[in-house]
């Protein structure tokens, strides 16, 4: 046992309280634009940390997070819209019963979003984990596309290509950052448990893990289902932040963004996923100027929408060539390391 466990626990509590104080300051004094960016950062932390559990910690190359985010977003939105709002939105074909009459509080819709995504991840895991490597990536990629196509064609449930509009803007800084803190805490605890150790063993050598008695199949299912739950929560938060969702929002592009984040942060590092989520979201806003026309004095560059994603793609290629381990590699932030750097004493093992 770490002899500095009590000190580290106290520091973790103080750090969490500091984050909550900063959230209160931002909520009270931040502009609408700043609050929107902070909400996006928190939601991407939820999505990246949960995605990293499957791809980074367990080493299973899944390309399905856009499917779970879509399920969470639609589930949460359908449960919070009132019957009157659904009647207005579903103009081509009415919403099916009982969805047409159900309305729940936001917290219930969020939990339902997580549960629906988790159940589907569990069911999907049975065929998915019969495959490995590239085949697993192809199967999960196909699943993500299937969910998007279903959302596009089930008019009486998702309103088809028209999507859902007028969703209540329930996602505040308290909801998004509260979800981010809970997600990081629970997934970090899972990774440090015996289940997390088994997941890491599967990542490094699945055959060896099986040889020492680890049930690799069910540990992969646990990682996949847990990841699906939190991605569903993230989808619910996203739906109630942007207030309008449609199938075009949940393409492979969303998965690609999350892949950039966890590779940039370091596959297997929760700390890296958090840092990269912050840099990616903030950097995406900062780089908006490259999408606009630019006059450099000697040459005028026309605006090219999406140019910032080209830049992010170049950054990803650069990382894969020159910094394969990302920002953190597989390392995690810990208080013992920080105290040693600051010269603050502590008991050694």
């Amino acid at each position: 046992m770490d002899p500095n466990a009590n000190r580290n626990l106290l520091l973790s509590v103080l750090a969490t309280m500091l984050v909550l104080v900063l959230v209160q300051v931002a909520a009270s004094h931040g502009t609408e634009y700043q609050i929107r960016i902070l909400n996006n950062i928190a939601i991407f932390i939820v999505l990246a940390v949960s995605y990293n559990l499957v791809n980074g910690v367990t080493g299973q190359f899944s390309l399905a997070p856009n499917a779970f985010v879509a399920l969470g977003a639609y589930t949460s939105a359908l449960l919070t819209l009132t019957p009157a709002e659904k009647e207005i939105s579903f103009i081509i074909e009415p919403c099916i019963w009982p969805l047409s009459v159900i309305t729940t509080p936001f917290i219930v819709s969020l939990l339902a979003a997580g549960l629906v995504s988790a159940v589907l991840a569990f069911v999907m895991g049975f065929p998915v984990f019969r495959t490995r490597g590239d085949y697993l990536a192809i199967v999960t990629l196909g699943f993500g596309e299937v969910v998007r196509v279903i959302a596009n064609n089930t008019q009486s449930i998702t309103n088809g290509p028209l999507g859902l509009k007028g969703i209540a803007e329930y996602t505040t800084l308290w909801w998004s950052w509260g979800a981010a803190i809970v997600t990081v805490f629970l997934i970090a605890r899972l990774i440090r448990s015996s289940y997390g150790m088994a997941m890491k063993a599967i990542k490094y050598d699945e055959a060896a893990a099986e040889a020492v008695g680890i049930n690799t199949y069910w540990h992969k299912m646990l990682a996949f289902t847990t990841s699906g739950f939190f991605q569903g929560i993230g989808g619910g938060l996203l739906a109630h932040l942007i207030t309008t969702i449609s199938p075009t929002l949940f393409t492979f592009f969303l998965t690609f963004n999350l892949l950039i984040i966890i590779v940039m942060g370091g596959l297997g590092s929760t700390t890296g996923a958090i840092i990269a989520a912050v840099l990616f979201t903030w950097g995406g806003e900062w780089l908006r100027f490259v999408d606009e026309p630019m006059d450099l004095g000697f040459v005028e560059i026309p605006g090219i929408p999406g140019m910032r994603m080209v830049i992010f793609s170049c950054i990803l290629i650069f990382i894969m060539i020159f910094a394969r381990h990302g920002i953190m590699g597989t390392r995690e932030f810990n208080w013992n390391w920080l105290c040693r750097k600051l010269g603050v004493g502590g008991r050694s093992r």
Side-chain angles (χ1 to χ4, degrees):
M1 182 179 175
D2 187 348
N4 300 310
N6 290 334
R7 181 203 63 186
N8 294 345
L9 176 62
L10 177 62
L11 289 172
S12 297
V13 171
L14 291 175
T16 305
M17 291 174 65
L18 177 62
V19 171
L20 296 177
V21 169
L22 293 175
V23 167
Q24 174 59 36
V25 171
S28 303
H29 303 288
T31 64
E32 187 176 343
Y33 177 66
Q34 291 167 336
I35 290 173
R36 175 60 68 99
I37 293 175
L38 289 172
N39 275 320
N40 281 333
I41 289 174
I43 291 171
F44 268 92
I45 288 175
V46 172
L47 299 179
V49 169
S50 55
Y51 187 37
N52 183 59
L53 181 66
V54 175
N55 275 31
V57 177
T58 317
Q60 305 303 304
F61 192 26
S62 165
L63 294 174
N66 59 318
F68 301 127
V69 176
L71 283 170
Y74 274 103
T75 302
S76 183
L78 283 168
L79 290 179
T80 53
L81 285 172
T82 64
E85 290 169 334
K86 288 170 190 168
E87 192 173 342
I88 295 172
S89 293
F90 287 73
I91 54 177
I92 297 178
E93 192 172 332
C95 185
I96 62 168
W97 186 90
L99 286 176
S100 59
V101 295
I102 290 178
T103 303
T104 65
F106 181 48
I107 179 66
V108 175
S109 75
L110 269 188
L111 292 174
L115 288 174
V116 168
S117 295
V119 168
L120 208 68
F122 181 76
V123 173
M124 179 187 165
F126 284 99
V128 162
F129 291 118
R130 301 293 177 192
T131 61
R132 293 183 182 181
D134 296 341
Y135 297 103
L136 187 145
I138 293 169
V139 171
T140 50
L141 173 65
F143 177 74
E145 285 302 298
V146 166
V147 168
R148 190 181 63 80
V149 170
I150 290 175
N152 214 28
N153 291 281
T154 50
Q155 194 79 41
S156 60
I157 299 177
T158 63
N159 204 24
L162 297 177
L164 300 176
K165 300 178 177 63
I167 303 167
E169 192 174 352
Y170 287 130
T171 301
T172 62
L173 285 176
W174 289 107
W175 279 109
S176 60
W177 281 94
I181 291 171
V182 171
T183 303
V184 171
F185 174 76
L186 292 179
I187 289 188
R189 295 291 295 175
L190 176 62
I191 293 172
R192 289 175 188 165
S193 70
S194 60
Y195 296 104
M197 296 298 109
M199 291 173 189
K200 289 180 179 178
I202 293 169
K203 172 185 175 182
Y204 290 114
D205 194 330
E206 188 168 344
E210 284 179 348
V212 296
I214 294 174
N215 190 327
T216 59
Y217 184 77
W218 286 110
H219 279 88
K220 287 188 285 188
M221 288 285 280
L222 174 64
F224 199 57
T225 305
T226 305
S227 177
F229 176 81
F230 286 109
Q231 284 164 8
I233 296 282
L237 289 169
L238 186 65
H240 289 89
L241 177 67
I242 58 180
T243 69
T244 298
I245 58 173
S246 67
T248 55
L249 188 66
F250 307 105
T251 61
F252 177 71
F253 191 64
L254 176 60
T255 295
F256 180 65
N257 286 346
L258 293 175
L259 196 58
I260 290 176
I261 291 173
I262 63 172
V263 171
M264 187 189 298
L267 284 171
S269 171
T270 302
T271 309
I274 296 170
I275 295 172
V278 174
L279 292 176
F280 181 86
T281 312
W282 176 80
E285 291 299 320
W286 183 74
L287 283 172
R288 278 190 184 279
F289 73 92
V290 300
D291 292 348
E292 305 293 333
M294 286 186 287
D295 185 359
L296 301 179
F298 57 94
V299 63
E300 287 188 8
I301 302 175
I304 306 175
M307 178 55 74
R308 57 191 171 131
M309 294 315 302
V310 174
I311 293 176
F312 273 123
S313 301
C314 292
I315 292 172
L316 179 62
I317 293 171
F318 180 84
I319 290 172
M320 293 179 73
I321 294 175
F322 297 105
R324 288 193 167 191
H325 299 296
I327 297 171
M328 292 295 291
T330 56
R331 298 185 301 275
E332 297 287 2
F333 169 81
N334 68 75
W335 292 112
N336 290 338
W337 171 84
L338 183 61
C339 289
R340 279 198 302 273
K341 289 292 181 185
L342 296 176
V344 180
R347 288 180 291 174
S348 57
R349 291 173 185 271

